[in-house]
Amino acid sequence: MMGLLSILRKLRQSPEKELRLLLLGLDNAGKTTILKIMASEDVTHVTPTAGFNIKSVVSDGFKLNVWDIGGQRKIRPYWKNYFENTDVLIYVVDSSDKKRLEETGIELFELLGDNKLEDVPLLVYANKQDLPSSLTSAEISEALGLHSIKDRVWQIQACTAINGEGIKEGMEWACKSIKKK
């Protein structure tokens, strides 16, 4: 027991090792599936997030507290309540949902304009790359106008959340971008 307490104290003394990641995007983009993959959990039965999910995962020597907030239109106004102390913003895009590409871009740039997210690194997951109708990450980047982002570091990562493809690479980038801050 004493060993555990000393480990916990050391963790508390090194807050730079504990990070807060905010996982946002429109409903049905794959946020919860990505969170479950990060936590090595089963993804066969994922239901829409009515509020939020929080998981702590260890990656690249960091303890990542990942906040997955529901993306339904009625929940989005509450996103701003979770911005405080965010170290990395992860924005998930459904690459196969061309009809809502403009809507997701508007939501993303509204987030980036908030003072509480100023200078916060941005990781965009271009999810659902396994679907034949999906746009590539380059096409998503172009459609969203990511190259116009000059006030923060950002990265777009193609991924298929359902099988975990591309998730680890995105998280490695996120951890590296924190080390540079």
Side-chain angles (χ1 to χ4, degrees):
M1 183 69 172
M2 201 57 184
L4 177 63
L5 287 174
S6 64
I7 290 170
L8 289 173
R9 277 193 207 103
K10 282 180 186 169
L11 277 174
R12 249 189 236 126
Q13 290 169 351
S14 58
E16 70 275 0
K17 292 273 184 193
E18 193 164 322
L19 304 172
R20 178 183 166 104
L21 280 63
L22 191 55
L23 187 58
L24 298 175
L26 301 187
D27 51 303
N28 201 38
K31 298 176 298 299
T32 303
T33 304
I34 287 172
L35 181 63
K36 285 180 168 275
I37 287 289
M38 288 169 63
S40 301
E41 293 180 4
D42 180 34
V43 295
T44 51
H45 300 290
V46 177
T47 57
T49 304
F52 61 89
N53 297 303
I54 308 167
K55 300 235 184 265
S56 292
V57 295
V58 176
S59 177
D60 203 21
F62 290 103
K63 179 183 178 192
L64 308 175
N65 297 311
V66 186
W67 292 69
D68 161 28
I69 316 297
Q72 295 91 339
R73 190 181 302 273
K74 66 179 190 263
I75 295 175
R76 291 181 217 155
Y78 300 102
W79 284 356
K80 64 181 172 279
N81 297 330
Y82 300 91
F83 292 175
E84 203 76 44
N85 301 316
T86 296
D87 293 299
V88 177
L89 173 61
I90 302 172
Y91 195 79
V92 183
V93 177
D94 178 343
S95 301
S96 70
D97 191 354
K98 297 176 184 105
K99 288 181 184 152
R100 297 203 308 165
L101 205 51
E102 183 181 351
E103 181 183 356
T104 200
I106 289 167
E107 293 291 347
L108 173 60
F109 277 89
E110 202 168 293
L111 292 170
L112 297 180
D114 192 287
N115 291 345
K116 288 182 183 162
L117 293 176
E118 192 175 8
D119 296 326
V120 171
L122 169 68
L123 170 62
V124 176
Y125 274 125
N127 192 22
K128 304 187 183 181
Q129 290 294 307
D130 57 321
L131 301 178
S133 61
S134 289
L135 297 171
T136 65
S137 57
E139 291 169 324
I140 296 283
S141 180
E142 181 70 31
L144 296 180
L146 296 182
H147 296 288
S148 70
I149 299 172
K150 305 288 187 217
D151 63 341
R152 71 191 69 229
V153 294
W154 63 270
Q155 172 77 16
I156 187 163
Q157 175 66 51
C159 74
T160 303
I162 204 80
N163 66 16
E165 193 176 306
I167 304 300
K168 183 175 182 257
E169 293 83 351
M171 292 314 300
E172 286 171 351
W173 177 87
C175 290
K176 282 180 188 147
S177 72
I178 289 297
K179 286 179 183 173
K180 290 178 185 173
K181 265 183 104 177

CSV table of all heavy atoms in Angstrom, one decimal, residues 3-57:
chain,number,residue,atom,x,y,z
A,3,GLY,N,3.8,1.7,-1.2
A,3,GLY,CA,4.4,1.9,-2.5
A,3,GLY,C,3.4,2.6,-3.5
A,3,GLY,O,3.8,3.5,-4.2
A,4,LEU,N,2.2,2.2,-3.4
A,4,LEU,CA,1.2,2.8,-4.3
A,4,LEU,C,1.0,4.3,-4.0
A,4,LEU,O,0.9,5.1,-4.8
A,4,LEU,CB,-0.2,2.1,-4.1
A,4,LEU,CG,-1.4,2.6,-4.9
A,4,LEU,CD1,-1.1,2.6,-6.4
A,4,LEU,CD2,-2.6,1.9,-4.6
A,5,LEU,N,1.0,4.6,-2.7
A,5,LEU,CA,0.8,6.0,-2.3
A,5,LEU,C,2.0,6.9,-2.7
A,5,LEU,O,1.8,8.0,-3.2
A,5,LEU,CB,0.7,6.1,-0.7
A,5,LEU,CG,-0.6,5.7,-0.1
A,5,LEU,CD1,-0.6,5.7,1.4
A,5,LEU,CD2,-1.8,6.5,-0.7
A,6,SER,N,3.2,6.3,-2.7
A,6,SER,CA,4.4,7.1,-3.1
A,6,SER,C,4.3,7.3,-4.6
A,6,SER,O,4.7,8.3,-5.2
A,6,SER,CB,5.7,6.5,-2.7
A,6,SER,OG,5.8,5.2,-3.3
A,7,ILE,N,3.8,6.3,-5.4
A,7,ILE,CA,3.7,6.4,-6.8
A,7,ILE,C,2.6,7.5,-7.1
A,7,ILE,O,2.9,8.3,-8.0
A,7,ILE,CB,3.3,5.0,-7.5
A,7,ILE,CG1,4.5,4.1,-7.4
A,7,ILE,CG2,2.8,5.2,-8.9
A,7,ILE,CD1,4.1,2.6,-7.8
A,8,LEU,N,1.5,7.5,-6.4
A,8,LEU,CA,0.5,8.5,-6.6
A,8,LEU,C,1.0,9.9,-6.3
A,8,LEU,O,0.7,10.8,-7.1
A,8,LEU,CB,-0.8,8.2,-5.8
A,8,LEU,CG,-1.6,6.9,-6.2
A,8,LEU,CD1,-2.7,6.6,-5.2
A,8,LEU,CD2,-2.2,7.2,-7.6
A,9,ARG,N,1.8,10.0,-5.3
A,9,ARG,CA,2.4,11.3,-5.0
A,9,ARG,C,3.3,11.8,-6.1
A,9,ARG,O,3.3,13.0,-6.4
A,9,ARG,CB,3.1,11.3,-3.6
A,9,ARG,CG,2.2,11.4,-2.4
A,9,ARG,CD,3.0,11.6,-1.2
A,9,ARG,NE,2.2,11.2,-0.1
A,9,ARG,CZ,2.4,10.0,0.6
A,9,ARG,NH1,3.4,9.2,0.3
A,9,ARG,NH2,1.6,9.6,1.6
A,10,LYS,N,4.1,10.9,-6.6
A,10,LYS,CA,5.0,11.3,-7.7
A,10,LYS,C,4.2,11.7,-8.9
A,10,LYS,O,4.6,12.6,-9.6
A,10,LYS,CB,5.9,10.1,-8.0
A,10,LYS,CG,7.1,9.9,-7.1
A,10,LYS,CD,8.0,8.8,-7.5
A,10,LYS,CE,9.0,8.5,-6.4
A,10,LYS,NZ,9.7,7.3,-6.6
A,11,LEU,N,3.1,11.0,-9.2
A,11,LEU,CA,2.3,11.4,-10.3
A,11,LEU,C,1.7,12.8,-10.2
A,11,LEU,O,1.7,13.6,-11.1
A,11,LEU,CB,1.1,10.4,-10.5
A,11,LEU,CG,1.4,9.1,-11.3
A,11,LEU,CD1,0.2,8.2,-11.2
A,11,LEU,CD2,1.8,9.4,-12.7
A,12,ARG,N,1.3,13.1,-8.9
A,12,ARG,CA,0.8,14.4,-8.6
A,12,ARG,C,1.9,15.5,-8.8
A,12,ARG,O,1.6,16.6,-9.1
A,12,ARG,CB,0.2,14.4,-7.2
A,12,ARG,CG,-1.3,14.5,-7.3
A,12,ARG,CD,-1.9,14.8,-5.9
A,12,ARG,NE,-2.9,13.8,-5.7
A,12,ARG,CZ,-2.9,13.0,-4.7
A,12,ARG,NH1,-2.1,13.1,-3.7
A,12,ARG,NH2,-3.8,12.1,-4.6
A,13,GLN,N,3.1,15.1,-8.4
A,13,GLN,CA,4.2,16.1,-8.5
A,13,GLN,C,4.6,16.3,-9.9
A,13,GLN,O,5.4,17.3,-10.1
A,13,GLN,CB,5.4,15.6,-7.6
A,13,GLN,CG,5.1,15.6,-6.2
A,13,GLN,CD,6.1,14.9,-5.3
A,13,GLN,OE1,7.0,14.3,-5.9
A,13,GLN,NE2,6.0,15.0,-4.0
A,14,SER,N,4.2,15.5,-10.9
A,14,SER,CA,4.7,15.7,-12.2
A,14,SER,C,3.4,15.9,-13.1
A,14,SER,O,3.2,15.1,-14.0
A,14,SER,CB,5.5,14.6,-12.7
A,14,SER,OG,4.8,13.4,-12.6
A,15,PRO,N,2.7,17.0,-13.0
A,15,PRO,CA,1.5,17.2,-13.7
A,15,PRO,C,1.7,17.4,-15.2
A,15,PRO,O,0.8,17.2,-16.0
A,15,PRO,CB,0.9,18.5,-13.2
A,15,PRO,CG,2.0,19.2,-12.5
A,15,PRO,CD,3.0,18.1,-12.1
A,16,GLU,N,3.0,17.6,-15.6
A,16,GLU,CA,3.3,17.7,-17.1
A,16,GLU,C,3.1,16.4,-17.7
A,16,GLU,O,3.1,16.3,-18.9
A,16,GLU,CB,4.7,18.3,-17.3
A,16,GLU,CG,5.8,17.4,-16.9
A,16,GLU,CD,6.2,17.4,-15.4
A,16,GLU,OE1,5.6,18.2,-14.7
A,16,GLU,OE2,7.1,16.7,-15.0
A,17,LYS,N,3.1,15.3,-16.9
A,17,LYS,CA,2.9,14.0,-17.5
A,17,LYS,C,1.4,13.6,-17.7
A,17,LYS,O,1.1,12.6,-18.2
A,17,LYS,CB,3.5,12.9,-16.6
A,17,LYS,CG,5.0,13.0,-16.5
A,17,LYS,CD,5.6,12.2,-17.6
A,17,LYS,CE,7.1,12.1,-17.6
A,17,LYS,NZ,7.7,11.6,-18.8
A,18,GLU,N,0.5,14.4,-17.1
A,18,GLU,CA,-0.9,14.2,-17.2
A,18,GLU,C,-1.5,15.2,-18.1
A,18,GLU,O,-1.4,16.4,-17.9
A,18,GLU,CB,-1.6,14.2,-15.8
A,18,GLU,CG,-3.0,13.6,-15.8
A,18,GLU,CD,-3.5,13.3,-14.5
A,18,GLU,OE1,-2.7,12.8,-13.6
A,18,GLU,OE2,-4.7,13.5,-14.2
A,19,LEU,N,-2.2,14.8,-19.2
A,19,LEU,CA,-2.7,15.7,-20.2
A,19,LEU,C,-4.2,15.5,-20.4
A,19,LEU,O,-4.8,14.4,-20.2
A,19,LEU,CB,-2.0,15.4,-21.5
A,19,LEU,CG,-0.5,15.5,-21.5
A,19,LEU,CD1,0.1,15.1,-22.8
A,19,LEU,CD2,-0.1,17.0,-21.2
A,20,ARG,N,-4.8,16.6,-20.8
A,20,ARG,CA,-6.3,16.6,-21.0
A,20,ARG,C,-6.5,16.7,-22.5
A,20,ARG,O,-6.1,17.7,-23.1
A,20,ARG,CB,-6.9,17.7,-20.3
A,20,ARG,CG,-8.4,17.9,-20.5
A,20,ARG,CD,-8.9,19.1,-19.8
A,20,ARG,NE,-10.2,19.5,-20.2
A,20,ARG,CZ,-11.4,19.2,-19.5
A,20,ARG,NH1,-11.3,18.6,-18.4
A,20,ARG,NH2,-12.5,19.6,-20.0
A,21,LEU,N,-7.1,15.7,-23.1
A,21,LEU,CA,-7.5,15.7,-24.5
A,21,LEU,C,-9.0,15.9,-24.7
A,21,LEU,O,-9.7,15.2,-24.0
A,21,LEU,CB,-7.0,14.4,-25.2
A,21,LEU,CG,-5.5,14.4,-25.6
A,21,LEU,CD1,-4.6,14.4,-24.4
A,21,LEU,CD2,-5.2,13.1,-26.4
A,22,LEU,N,-9.4,16.7,-25.6
A,22,LEU,CA,-10.8,16.9,-25.8
A,22,LEU,C,-11.1,16.3,-27.2
A,22,LEU,O,-10.5,16.7,-28.2
A,22,LEU,CB,-11.1,18.4,-25.8
A,22,LEU,CG,-12.6,18.9,-25.8
A,22,LEU,CD1,-13.3,18.2,-24.7
A,22,LEU,CD2,-12.6,20.4,-25.7
A,23,LEU,N,-12.1,15.4,-27.2
A,23,LEU,CA,-12.4,14.6,-28.4
A,23,LEU,C,-13.8,15.1,-28.9
A,23,LEU,O,-14.8,14.8,-28.3
A,23,LEU,CB,-12.4,13.2,-28.1
A,23,LEU,CG,-12.6,12.1,-29.1
A,23,LEU,CD1,-11.6,12.2,-30.2
A,23,LEU,CD2,-12.6,10.7,-28.5
A,24,LEU,N,-13.8,15.9,-30.0
A,24,LEU,CA,-15.0,16.5,-30.5
A,24,LEU,C,-15.3,16.2,-32.0
A,24,LEU,O,-14.3,15.7,-32.7
A,24,LEU,CB,-15.0,18.0,-30.3
A,24,LEU,CG,-14.9,18.5,-28.9
A,24,LEU,CD1,-14.7,20.1,-28.9
A,24,LEU,CD2,-16.1,18.1,-28.1
A,25,GLY,N,-16.4,16.4,-32.4
A,25,GLY,CA,-16.8,16.2,-33.8
A,25,GLY,C,-18.3,16.0,-33.9
A,25,GLY,O,-19.0,15.8,-32.8
A,26,LEU,N,-18.9,16.0,-35.1
A,26,LEU,CA,-20.3,15.8,-35.2
A,26,LEU,C,-20.7,14.4,-34.8
A,26,LEU,O,-19.9,13.5,-34.7
A,26,LEU,CB,-20.8,16.0,-36.7
A,26,LEU,CG,-20.5,17.3,-37.4
A,26,LEU,CD1,-21.1,17.3,-38.7
A,26,LEU,CD2,-20.9,18.5,-36.5
A,27,ASP,N,-22.0,14.2,-34.5
A,27,ASP,CA,-22.5,12.9,-34.1
A,27,ASP,C,-22.2,11.9,-35.2
A,27,ASP,O,-22.2,12.3,-36.4
A,27,ASP,CB,-24.0,13.0,-33.8
A,27,ASP,CG,-24.8,13.6,-34.9
A,27,ASP,OD1,-24.5,14.8,-35.2
A,27,ASP,OD2,-25.7,13.0,-35.4
A,28,ASN,N,-22.0,10.7,-34.8
A,28,ASN,CA,-21.7,9.6,-35.8
A,28,ASN,C,-20.4,9.7,-36.5
A,28,ASN,O,-20.2,9.0,-37.5
A,28,ASN,CB,-22.9,9.4,-36.8
A,28,ASN,CG,-22.9,8.0,-37.4
A,28,ASN,OD1,-22.6,7.0,-36.7
A,28,ASN,ND2,-23.2,7.9,-38.6
A,29,ALA,N,-19.4,10.5,-36.0
A,29,ALA,CA,-18.1,10.7,-36.7
A,29,ALA,C,-17.2,9.5,-36.3
A,29,ALA,O,-16.3,9.2,-37.0
A,29,ALA,CB,-17.5,12.0,-36.4
A,30,GLY,N,-17.4,9.0,-35.1
A,30,GLY,CA,-16.6,7.9,-34.6
A,30,GLY,C,-15.8,8.2,-33.4
A,30,GLY,O,-14.8,7.5,-33.0
A,31,LYS,N,-16.2,9.2,-32.6
A,31,LYS,CA,-15.4,9.7,-31.5
A,31,LYS,C,-15.3,8.6,-30.4
A,31,LYS,O,-14.2,8.3,-29.9
A,31,LYS,CB,-16.0,11.0,-30.9
A,31,LYS,CG,-16.0,12.1,-31.8
A,31,LYS,CD,-16.7,13.3,-31.2
A,31,LYS,CE,-18.2,13.1,-30.9
A,31,LYS,NZ,-19.0,12.8,-32.1
A,32,THR,N,-16.5,8.0,-30.0
A,32,THR,CA,-16.5,7.0,-29.0
A,32,THR,C,-15.8,5.8,-29.4
A,32,THR,O,-15.1,5.2,-28.6
A,32,THR,CB,-17.9,6.7,-28.6
A,32,THR,OG1,-18.6,7.9,-28.2
A,32,THR,CG2,-18.0,5.7,-27.4
A,33,THR,N,-15.9,5.4,-30.6
A,33,THR,CA,-15.1,4.2,-31.1
A,33,THR,C,-13.6,4.5,-31.0
A,33,THR,O,-12.9,3.6,-30.6
A,33,THR,CB,-15.5,3.9,-32.6
A,33,THR,OG1,-16.9,3.7,-32.6
A,33,THR,CG2,-14.8,2.7,-33.1
A,34,ILE,N,-13.2,5.7,-31.4
A,34,ILE,CA,-11.7,6.0,-31.2
A,34,ILE,C,-11.3,6.0,-29.7
A,34,ILE,O,-10.3,5.4,-29.4
A,34,ILE,CB,-11.5,7.4,-31.8
A,34,ILE,CG1,-11.5,7.4,-33.3
A,34,ILE,CG2,-10.1,8.0,-31.3
A,34,ILE,CD1,-11.4,8.7,-34.0
A,35,LEU,N,-12.2,6.5,-28.8
A,35,LEU,CA,-11.9,6.4,-27.4
A,35,LEU,C,-11.8,5.0,-26.9
A,35,LEU,O,-10.8,4.7,-26.2
A,35,LEU,CB,-13.0,7.2,-26.6
A,35,LEU,CG,-12.8,7.2,-25.1
A,35,LEU,CD1,-11.5,8.0,-24.7
A,35,LEU,CD2,-14.0,7.9,-24.5
A,36,LYS,N,-12.7,4.1,-27.4
A,36,LYS,CA,-12.7,2.7,-26.9
A,36,LYS,C,-11.4,2.0,-27.5
A,36,LYS,O,-10.8,1.2,-26.8
A,36,LYS,CB,-13.9,2.0,-27.4
A,36,LYS,CG,-15.1,2.4,-26.5
A,36,LYS,CD,-16.4,1.7,-26.9
A,36,LYS,CE,-17.5,1.8,-25.9
A,36,LYS,NZ,-17.4,0.8,-24.9
A,37,ILE,N,-11.0,2.3,-28.7
A,37,ILE,CA,-9.8,1.7,-29.3
A,37,ILE,C,-8.6,2.2,-28.5
A,37,ILE,O,-7.7,1.4,-28.2
A,37,ILE,CB,-9.7,2.1,-30.8
A,37,ILE,CG1,-10.7,1.4,-31.6
A,37,ILE,CG2,-8.3,1.9,-31.3
A,37,ILE,CD1,-10.4,-0.1,-31.8
A,38,MET,N,-8.5,3.5,-28.1
A,38,MET,CA,-7.4,4.0,-27.3
A,38,MET,C,-7.3,3.3,-26.0
A,38,MET,O,-6.2,3.0,-25.5
A,38,MET,CB,-7.6,5.5,-27.1
A,38,MET,CG,-7.3,6.3,-28.4
A,38,MET,SD,-7.8,8.0,-28.2
A,38,MET,CE,-6.8,8.6,-26.9
A,39,ALA,N,-8.5,2.9,-25.4
A,39,ALA,CA,-8.5,2.3,-24.1
A,39,ALA,C,-8.5,0.7,-24.2
A,39,ALA,O,-8.7,0.0,-23.2
A,39,ALA,CB,-9.8,2.7,-23.4
A,40,SER,N,-8.3,0.2,-25.5
A,40,SER,CA,-8.3,-1.2,-25.7
A,40,SER,C,-9.6,-1.9,-25.3
A,40,SER,O,-9.5,-3.0,-24.7
A,40,SER,CB,-7.1,-1.9,-25.0
A,40,SER,OG,-5.9,-1.3,-25.5
A,41,GLU,N,-10.7,-1.3,-25.6
A,41,GLU,CA,-12.0,-1.8,-25.2
A,41,GLU,C,-12.7,-2.4,-26.5
A,41,GLU,O,-12.4,-2.0,-27.6
A,41,GLU,CB,-12.9,-0.8,-24.6
A,41,GLU,CG,-12.3,-0.4,-23.2
A,41,GLU,CD,-13.2,0.7,-22.5
A,41,GLU,OE1,-14.3,1.0,-23.1
A,41,GLU,OE2,-12.8,1.2,-21.5
A,42,ASP,N,-13.7,-3.2,-26.3
A,42,ASP,CA,-14.5,-3.8,-27.4
A,42,ASP,C,-15.3,-2.7,-28.1
A,42,ASP,O,-15.9,-1.8,-27.4
A,42,ASP,CB,-15.4,-4.8,-26.8
A,42,ASP,CG,-16.3,-5.5,-27.8
A,42,ASP,OD1,-15.8,-5.7,-29.0
A,42,ASP,OD2,-17.4,-5.8,-27.5
A,43,VAL,N,-15.3,-2.7,-29.4
A,43,VAL,CA,-16.0,-1.7,-30.2
A,43,VAL,C,-17.2,-2.2,-30.9
A,43,VAL,O,-17.8,-1.6,-31.8
A,43,VAL,CB,-15.1,-0.9,-31.1
A,43,VAL,CG1,-14.1,-0.1,-30.4
A,43,VAL,CG2,-14.4,-1.8,-32.1
A,44,THR,N,-17.7,-3.5,-30.6
A,44,THR,CA,-18.8,-4.1,-31.3
A,44,THR,C,-20.1,-3.4,-31.0
A,44,THR,O,-21.0,-3.4,-31.9
A,44,THR,CB,-18.8,-5.6,-31.1
A,44,THR,OG1,-18.8,-5.8,-29.7
A,44,THR,CG2,-17.7,-6.3,-31.8
A,45,HIS,N,-20.3,-2.8,-29.8
A,45,HIS,CA,-21.5,-2.2,-29.5
A,45,HIS,C,-21.3,-0.8,-29.0
A,45,HIS,O,-21.2,-0.6,-27.8
A,45,HIS,CB,-22.3,-3.0,-28.4
A,45,HIS,CG,-22.6,-4.4,-28.9
A,45,HIS,ND1,-23.5,-4.7,-29.8
A,45,HIS,CD2,-22.1,-5.6,-28.5
A,45,HIS,CE1,-23.6,-6.0,-30.0
A,45,HIS,NE2,-22.7,-6.6,-29.2
A,46,VAL,N,-21.2,0.2,-29.9
A,46,VAL,CA,-21.0,1.5,-29.5
A,46,VAL,C,-22.3,2.3,-29.7
A,46,VAL,O,-22.9,2.2,-30.8
A,46,VAL,CB,-19.9,2.2,-30.3
A,46,VAL,CG1,-19.7,3.7,-30.0
A,46,VAL,CG2,-18.6,1.5,-30.1
A,47,THR,N,-22.8,3.0,-28.7
A,47,THR,CA,-24.0,3.7,-28.9
A,47,THR,C,-23.7,5.2,-28.9
A,47,THR,O,-22.7,5.7,-28.4
A,47,THR,CB,-25.0,3.4,-27.7
A,47,THR,OG1,-24.3,3.7,-26.5
A,47,THR,CG2,-25.4,2.0,-27.7
A,48,PRO,N,-24.6,6.0,-29.4
A,48,PRO,CA,-24.4,7.5,-29.5
A,48,PRO,C,-24.2,8.0,-28.0
A,48,PRO,O,-24.9,7.6,-27.1
A,48,PRO,CB,-25.7,8.1,-30.1
A,48,PRO,CG,-26.3,6.9,-30.9
A,48,PRO,CD,-25.9,5.7,-30.1
A,49,THR,N,-23.3,9.0,-27.9
A,49,THR,CA,-23.0,9.6,-26.6
A,49,THR,C,-24.0,10.7,-26.3
A,49,THR,O,-24.0,11.7,-27.0
A,49,THR,CB,-21.5,10.1,-26.6
A,49,THR,OG1,-20.7,9.1,-27.0
A,49,THR,CG2,-21.2,10.7,-25.3
A,50,ALA,N,-24.8,10.5,-25.3
A,50,ALA,CA,-25.8,11.5,-24.9
A,50,ALA,C,-25.2,12.7,-24.1
A,50,ALA,O,-25.7,13.8,-24.1
A,50,ALA,CB,-26.9,10.9,-24.1
A,51,GLY,N,-24.1,12.4,-23.4
A,51,GLY,CA,-23.4,13.4,-22.6
A,51,GLY,C,-22.0,13.4,-23.0
A,51,GLY,O,-21.5,14.0,-23.9
A,52,PHE,N,-21.2,12.7,-22.1
A,52,PHE,CA,-19.8,12.6,-22.3
A,52,PHE,C,-19.2,11.3,-21.7
A,52,PHE,O,-19.9,10.7,-20.9
A,52,PHE,CB,-19.0,13.8,-21.8
A,52,PHE,CG,-19.1,14.0,-20.3
A,52,PHE,CD1,-18.3,13.4,-19.4
A,52,PHE,CD2,-20.1,14.8,-19.8
A,52,PHE,CE1,-18.4,13.5,-18.1
A,52,PHE,CE2,-20.3,15.0,-18.4
A,52,PHE,CZ,-19.4,14.3,-17.5
A,53,ASN,N,-18.1,10.9,-22.3
A,53,ASN,CA,-17.3,9.8,-21.7
A,53,ASN,C,-15.9,10.3,-21.4
A,53,ASN,O,-15.4,11.1,-22.1
A,53,ASN,CB,-17.2,8.7,-22.8
A,53,ASN,CG,-18.5,8.1,-23.2
A,53,ASN,OD1,-19.2,7.6,-22.4
A,53,ASN,ND2,-18.7,8.1,-24.5
A,54,ILE,N,-15.4,9.7,-20.3
A,54,ILE,CA,-14.0,10.1,-20.0
A,54,ILE,C,-13.2,8.8,-19.8
A,54,ILE,O,-13.7,7.9,-19.1
A,54,ILE,CB,-13.9,10.9,-18.7
A,54,ILE,CG1,-14.8,12.1,-18.7
A,54,ILE,CG2,-12.5,11.3,-18.4
A,54,ILE,CD1,-15.0,12.7,-17.3
A,55,LYS,N,-12.1,8.7,-20.4
A,55,LYS,CA,-11.2,7.6,-20.2
A,55,LYS,C,-9.8,8.1,-20.0
A,55,LYS,O,-9.4,9.1,-20.6
A,55,LYS,CB,-11.2,6.6,-21.4
A,55,LYS,CG,-12.6,6.1,-21.7
A,55,LYS,CD,-12.6,4.6,-21.7
A,55,LYS,CE,-13.9,4.1,-22.1
A,55,LYS,NZ,-14.8,3.7,-21.0
A,56,SER,N,-9.0,7.4,-19.1
A,56,SER,CA,-7.6,7.7,-19.0
A,56,SER,C,-6.8,6.6,-19.6
A,56,SER,O,-7.0,5.4,-19.3
A,56,SER,CB,-7.2,7.8,-17.5
A,56,SER,OG,-7.8,8.9,-16.9
A,57,VAL,N,-5.9,7.0,-20.5
A,57,VAL,CA,-5.1,6.0,-21.2
A,57,VAL,C,-3.6,6.5,-21.1
A,57,VAL,O,-3.4,7.7,-21.0
A,57,VAL,CB,-5.5,5.8,-22.7
A,57,VAL,CG1,-6.9,5.2,-22.8
A,57,VAL,CG2,-5.4,7.1,-23.5
